[in-house]
Amino acid sequence: MIGVAHTGAVFTLAQARHLVATLHPRIDELIRVRADLAELQADLAGHGLSALGGRAEVKGLEARLYAVLDEIQQHGIEVKSVAPVLLDFPGEREGRQVLWCWLEGDTDVRWYHRADCGFAGRRPI
């Protein structure tokens, strides 16, 4: 990774923001693959045909989805949801363990929550 290096199990806010920016092409790919997979599965379940392909393409899209998820997780990021994409970055704020939180559609990491409160405890930074 170029720029702000991750130093272990805890991300600074700057590191989390840098990773979101760096990984944005992978996140966009995840969103595209997720949409194609959902459409293909719906078409095949509904009429057995799809312009996107058949069972082999489902398997290919699933493999690509898992590969992108794995690539994101290899950075120490927690993928909490795929639809919508929800990423948590273990961090620390004022001496307390928190998760810097990025939700699909956010332009930057602007939220955090205590590790023990989950998404419902999200607060603006």
Side-chain angles (χ1 to χ4, degrees):
M1 176 174 62
I2 298 171
V4 183
H6 181 235
T7 57
V10 177
F11 292 90
T12 65
L13 178 56
Q15 289 167 330
R17 286 178 166 163
H18 177 76
L19 265 176
V20 165
T22 301
L23 292 173
H24 219 280
R26 297 285 68 78
I27 296 167
D28 288 345
E29 180 179 4
L30 177 66
I31 293 166
R32 279 191 309 276
V33 169
R34 177 193 70 198
D36 286 348
L37 181 58
E39 185 177 324
L40 177 56
Q41 289 174 324
D43 287 350
L44 294 178
H47 13 299
L49 300 171
S50 175
L52 294 172
R55 293 298 309 155
E57 286 73 20
V58 167
K59 294 298 181 190
L61 288 169
E62 288 173 341
R64 188 66 203 139
L65 182 82
Y66 290 122
V68 174
L69 287 172
D70 185 55
E71 181 180 343
I72 292 169
Q73 291 169 329
Q74 285 180 10
H75 290 276
I77 300 167
E78 299 175 14
V79 179
K80 297 296 179 130
S81 173
V82 174
V85 177
L86 176 60
L87 306 178
D88 279 346
F89 302 79
E92 192 174 289
R93 180 182 168 104
E94 300 171 358
R96 173 172 269 161
Q97 288 185 338
V98 298
L99 296 168
W100 307 114
C101 191
W102 182 86
L103 179 63
E104 183 179 327
D106 290 349
T107 57
D108 195 1
V109 178
R110 295 186 180 162
W111 299 88
Y112 77 97
H113 55 85
R114 287 183 8 196
D116 60 344
C117 290
F119 188 85
R122 276 179 32 134
R123 296 179 182 276
I125 294 172

